[in-house]
Amino acid sequence: MFKDSKAFSSFSVDDIQKAKKFYGQTLGLEVSESYGGRLLEIHIAGGRYILIYPKANHTPATFTILNFPVDNLEHAMDDLTKLGVRFEIYNEGDLKTDEKGISLSGDGPKVAWFKDPAGNVLSVLEGE
């Protein structure tokens, strides 16, 4: 039924203008307003987009909502840190990071997590 659908993902934020600045200026993504500026579209490779919508009773996602693959994790982290991004440090259960925020798990790609201004979890990861 949905095989040829142009499906897209979406997530909420508590302040659409802070999100526009963060995703557009800090992360350098192409961001456009839709529905009279009430919604945002983050344009990604392949001509697709991700929708951001405001929600008055927004609760930040406790899981990773968006992953950014990079060729070199440490280099990307250094660049993001210069732009004011702060990486999360985890030490709970199976989720542990080093002092810089890089996952210590050997079960997947090298990954580090950070949050958007609304508290949603994003990641930058080395690999495909």
Side-chain angles (χ1 to χ4, degrees), residues 30 32 70 82 97 103 106 127:
E30 181 185 344
S32 64
V70 295
K82 289 176 190 171
T97 61
S103 173

Side-chain angles (χ1 to χ4, degrees), residues 29-98:
L29 297 168
E30 181 185 344
V31 177
S32 64
E33 294 180 353
S34 60
Y35 295 94
R38 292 187 306 274
L39 305 177
L40 297 177
E41 295 177 0
I42 300 173
H43 300 271
I44 57 175
R48 306 301 306 147
Y49 69 91
I50 299 163
L51 186 70
I52 300 176
Y53 59 93
K55 187 175 178 190
N57 62 347
H58 166 75
T59 301
T62 58
F63 51 88
T64 308
I65 62 164
L66 196 53
N67 300 284
F68 296 100
V70 295
D71 292 330
N72 184 302
L73 180 63
E74 286 87 356
H75 181 71
M77 291 176 71
D78 290 343
D79 289 347
L80 287 166
T81 299
K82 289 176 190 171
L83 294 169
V85 172
R86 188 177 57 85
F87 288 89
E88 297 296 305
I89 306 298
Y90 294 111
N91 187 16
E92 47 193 62
D94 292 336
L95 183 56
K96 295 184 181 6
T97 61
D98 65 15

